[in-house]
Each structure stands twice: as structure tokens, then as C-alpha cells.
Amino acid sequence: MTEQRVRRGGPPQWWRHGPPWWHRAADEEAEPGRHRPWLSTALFTVFVLVGTHFSAHNQHGHREPLDAFGLALLLVTSGMLLWRKRYPAFVVCGTAATTLVYYAAGYPYGPVFLAVVVSCFSAVVAGHRRAAWTALGTLWAAHALISLWLYRWLPPPGDTAASWGQELAVATWVVAVVAVSELARVRREQWAKERAERAQASRRRADEERLRIARELHDVLAHSISVINVQAGVGLALLDTDPEQARTALATIKAASKEALGEVRQVLDTLRTPGDAPRAPAPGLGRLSELVDQAATAGLTVEVQGAPPRLPPGTDLAAFRIVQEALTNVVRHSGSRHARVLLGHDRRALRLRVDDDGPATGADAGGSGNGLAGMRERAAALGGTIDAGARPDGGWRVLAVLPLTTEEENR
């Protein structure tokens, strides 16, 4: 109901982007010949025949009577408009030629000239400007030549010369037709450009959304799956020798999987109802202690130094996911069972540093290999940076710098 009220109360949707029939014309140009304008051509042909018939009564005795050849010229001229979208240059030249023959034969003036106008409009809009200009210019020049000189030898007999004023009026109409056609062509190109830009922006938003979803799901699952992987290995190894410890490992797996399911459900709920508020707050550095506890269940001791400042939601989530992924990589790929998380900040940036003492184990814990790329994408989305690499004294270091203020605020 709200959408209907908006449509009724405001301007039509095509006001800024062109009317629907204009887009259908563009589709016809993209797939020529798929839909010929049968109905409009038939109606136009009937209009030309009826209009010329009435015009002939008013010009009786001044122009030649309309015979079979004249009717054939009218039918051919109007019928060529059927191909005005597929062969616009040919149609504008053809209608101009048959109209010139019709006029030179002395038949009554009438709406046959409108066929040239329609074909000229179609040719200019389709981009065949030179053909349209040439056809109209040739038609006007031949019309002037016949009206001012050749009328002596052409029907009807006893015809008199036209005045230069009449020819200038015809020239004015020709220029007006070309000008309107050019304006329509420019506007159509603008609409086509706007449509292409909107389509590109839509594709870009869809790509960004897919990347965001992929990053979120990767970050949600990677840490929990790594903990589950480690604890499953511990449980299998101790199942026979130390059942109590194996039970503890299974309890850890249950807790980690439950948390993973909860976060995945939160992401999916956001996707299903993008306009609704999330049911649970997005994770942030305030939950850093939970990461430390989860890492401890995987046998990793994490030392945290420093306290985070008050962060915007987006920065807080990115910082949490970066630390989570860094600790996940330590669990997966490092032989060290000790990691350090250092939090530092000033007025402009938050600095996160995650170190482990190594060495790398080269073991594959089933990860996708996209963790570091995801961290860099998160940091880049906020205007920050990620540096990751081996430390000079061994081990691995992840250093993230996330801005706390925008460039406009800094100025």
C-alpha cells in the first residue's frame, strides 16, 4: 500500500530514467528483428491513406488525381517503416526517395511526408545521423528544384512556381525535425548511460555483499572449526587411555559448535531480513576474553596487553575478526602454544599486534587459505592496513592499523 501511494502521489518512475517504451526500443536495437512494429506501421499506413484521400478532395483541379500508382507509392512509403528499427538508414533514404517520386508525379499533398519524419527520427536516434541528414537535405533540395524550376515539365499541367518564402518555411520544418531527432538521440544516450551505470553499481554492490558474506562466514566458522579440529584430535588420542580428558575434549567441541551455529544463524538472519535490527549485538573487542578462553581449550595460551578504546561498531567488529583469525592461524599453523595480543591506540588509529614464537608446523587444519586475504579486505574497507610475516627472531607477526577517524574529521 505504501509503495502504491508513493507511485500515485509522486512523478512516474520513468521521469528520470526514460519512459518504458524507450527501453523497449533499446531492447529492439540490441536484438534487431525480434519484434517489428507491425501495429504502429499498420495504423500509420491507414492514417496516410485516409488523410491523403481527404486532402485530394481539397486539392481537386490543382494536383493529379490519386491513381493506382499513387496508392502504391503511399503503401510502399508507409510499409517501409516496418523495418525502421532494423535498417534505419535504408528506410530513411527509401522513404525520402518514394516521397520525392510521389511529389514529382504531381499527386496531392498529404501526410505522406510524415513517413520521412518518422524514419528520420528513427535513424538519428539509432545513430545513423549522416544518412538521415543526407536524405532530408536531398529531399528538400529536390523539392525546391521542382517547385522553382522543373514544375514546367512535370505534372500537373499549368502548375505555378512556389515562392522562396514557401521553400524557406519547408527548410525550417526540416531543420526542426532534425533538431528534435538530435535532442531525442542525446537524451536516449543519457538514459542508456544511466542504465549502464546503475547496472554496474548494482553488480558492484552485489559483489561487495558477496565478499562481505564470505568474509563473515569464514571468520565465524574458521576459529570454531579449528578448535573443534584440535579437540577432536585430542579426544581420539585419549579416548582409550584417558577417557575423562576425552570427555572434556568432547564438551569443548560441543560448546564450540554451539557458538558457531549461533553466529552462523545470526549472519543468516541478517541476510533474510536485511531491514531488521540484529537479534544479538555484533562481536567486538569487548569479547576478547572469550577468544582467549576458546584458544585455551585448543591448548593455546594467549597473553593480552593493553585495553581497546571505545570503537565504532564497524571498526570494533573488524578488530575482533582480525584477532580471531590471527589466533586461529596460530592454532592451525604454529608449533608455539603461546601467543601475545598487544592493543595500542592514539587519537587517529588502533594498532593490533598478534605474535607467536613459532616455528611453523606446515600442518593443514582444513582451512580455506583465505584468512589473511579476508583480514586485509576488512582493514582496507575501513582505510586501514594489515602487515603479516615472519619475525626476525622466529615466529609470526600480524600487525593491523585501523583508523579511528575519517579523513574529513582529521581535517
Side-chain angles (χ1 to χ4, degrees), residues 355-392:
D355 293 327
D356 72 274
D357 298 328
T361 62
D364 184 6
S368 64
N370 295 321
L372 184 57
M375 286 193 289
R376 287 198 171 108
E377 289 171 358
R378 283 188 179 276
L382 298 171
T385 59
I386 288 281
D387 290 324
R391 295 164 50 194

Side-chain angles (χ1 to χ4, degrees), residues 209-219:
E209 184 65 11
R210 282 195 295 270
L211 286 175
R212 186 190 69 81
I213 295 170
R215 281 198 306 267
E216 197 66 24
L217 288 176
H218 176 275
D219 293 341

Side-chain angles (χ1 to χ4, degrees), residues 265-288:
R265 188 179 297 112
Q266 181 180 350
V267 173
L268 295 180
D269 287 343
T270 303
L271 295 178
R272 291 192 184 100
T273 55
D276 296 345
R279 298 181 182 178
L285 290 181
R287 293 176 54 184
L288 190 56

Side-chain angles (χ1 to χ4, degrees), residues 16-186:
R16 292 182 57 191
H17 310 302
W21 58 264
W22 200 269
H23 301 321
R24 289 195 293 270
D27 295 338
E28 169 65 25
E29 183 179 343
E31 298 184 46
R34 182 180 178 184
H35 298 293
R36 292 194 181 95
W38 294 97
L39 180 60
S40 60
T41 302
L43 293 176
F44 185 84
T45 301
V46 172
F47 172 75
V48 168
L49 292 176
V50 173
T52 304
H53 176 74
F54 282 103
S55 298
H57 286 289
N58 297 329
Q59 301 174 45
H60 183 70
H62 301 283
R63 305 292 293 176
E64 290 291 316
L66 195 61
D67 54 15
F69 182 64
L71 289 174
L73 287 175
L74 293 178
L75 289 173
V76 170
T77 303
S78 300
M80 280 192 290
L81 295 179
L82 190 62
W83 289 273
R84 66 183 182 271
K85 294 185 180 299
R86 189 168 186 178
Y87 307 109
F90 169 78
V91 171
V92 70
C93 294
T95 54
T98 54
T99 302
L100 180 60
V101 173
Y102 177 89
Y103 175 66
Y107 292 118
Y109 291 107
V112 65
F113 291 98
L114 293 179
V116 183
V117 174
V118 173
S119 62
C120 173
F121 183 89
S122 298
V124 171
V125 168
H128 299 273
R129 304 163 64 194
R130 183 174 299 178
W133 297 348
T134 302
L136 258 69
T138 302
L139 178 61
W140 176 82
H143 180 276
L145 186 64
I146 293 172
S147 299
L148 298 174
W149 183 43
L150 296 180
Y151 69 91
R152 299 182 182 91
W153 300 281
L154 293 175
D159 196 10
T160 58
S163 65
W164 279 102
Q166 292 175 328
E167 293 306 315
L168 288 176
V170 174
T172 302
W173 278 106
V174 170
V175 172
V177 169
V178 173
V180 171
S181 302
E182 288 291 342
L183 288 175
R185 178 188 63 82
V186 171

